[in-house]
């Protein structure tokens, strides 16, 4: 069983920055792709960014050039640096570990961007 715990959310003004963190339990973190997703009220959960075990990254079109995903395998942690935040980035952000047959999710952290 893997536990993922997000932190770093909060309220920020448009144009500001936040850094989200996700800590994973266990000793298998380094083997798997990690991702950040987000879900705004009334919307589906959307993919924000992914990072493979080797460090290759991919981003949703709406965050390219503004967000950066990274990982520290020694700390069992994945991060999401969010710059130039916009009100439309307001959502609950979820950390996700992608395995072949399973997906683990954190409880989410709220990010609110005021205009």
């Amino acid at each position: 069983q893997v536990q993922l715990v997000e932190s770093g959310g909060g309220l920020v003004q448009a144009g500001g920055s936040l850094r989200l963190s996700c800590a994973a339990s266990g000793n298998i973190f380094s083997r798997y792709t990690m991702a950040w997703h987000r879900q705004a009220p009334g919307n589906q959960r959307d993919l924000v960014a992914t990072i493979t075990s080797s460090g290759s990254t991919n981003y949703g079109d709406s965050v390219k050039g503004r967000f950066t995903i990274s990982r520290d395998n020694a700390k069992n942690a994945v991060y999401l640096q969010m710059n130039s935040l916009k009100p439309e980035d307001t959502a609950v952000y979820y950390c996700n570990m992608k395995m072949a047959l399973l997906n683990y999710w954190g409880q989410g952290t709220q990010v609110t961007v005021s205009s």
Side-chain angles (χ1 to χ4, degrees), residues 2 6 10 23 44-45 57 60-61 66 79-80 84 87 94 108 112:
V2 173
E6 301 99 333
Q44 65 182 15
R45 190 171 295 189
T57 59
D61 288 341
R66 300 187 298 122
Y79 308 99
L80 186 68
S84 302
Y94 296 92
T112 302

Side-chain angles (χ1 to χ4, degrees), residues 91-103:
V92 178
Y93 283 71
Y94 296 92
C95 177
N96 167 230
M97 178 180 285
K98 297 183 176 295
M99 298 181 175
L101 298 178
L102 290 174
N103 271 284

Side-chain angles (χ1 to χ4, degrees), residues 1-79:
Q1 186 76 10
V2 173
Q3 290 187 326
L4 302 174
V5 180
E6 301 99 333
S7 61
L11 174 64
V12 64
Q13 288 188 332
S17 297
L18 281 176
R19 188 188 193 218
L20 305 184
S21 299
C22 172
S25 65
N27 58 1
I28 61 172
F29 174 83
S30 63
R31 304 178 194 174
Y32 296 104
T33 292
M34 299 296 296
W36 286 96
H37 297 249
R38 67 186 182 186
Q39 188 168 18
N43 290 358
Q44 65 182 15
R45 190 171 295 189
D46 292 328
L47 179 66
V48 175
T50 62
I51 184 165
T52 67
S53 57
S54 61
S56 296
T57 59
N58 192 36
Y59 297 92
D61 288 341
S62 62
V63 306
K64 282 180 181 176
R66 300 187 298 122
F67 290 11
T68 303
I69 189 171
S70 61
R71 68 190 296 161
D72 185 338
N73 289 336
K75 295 183 178 180
N76 279 10
V78 61
Y79 308 99

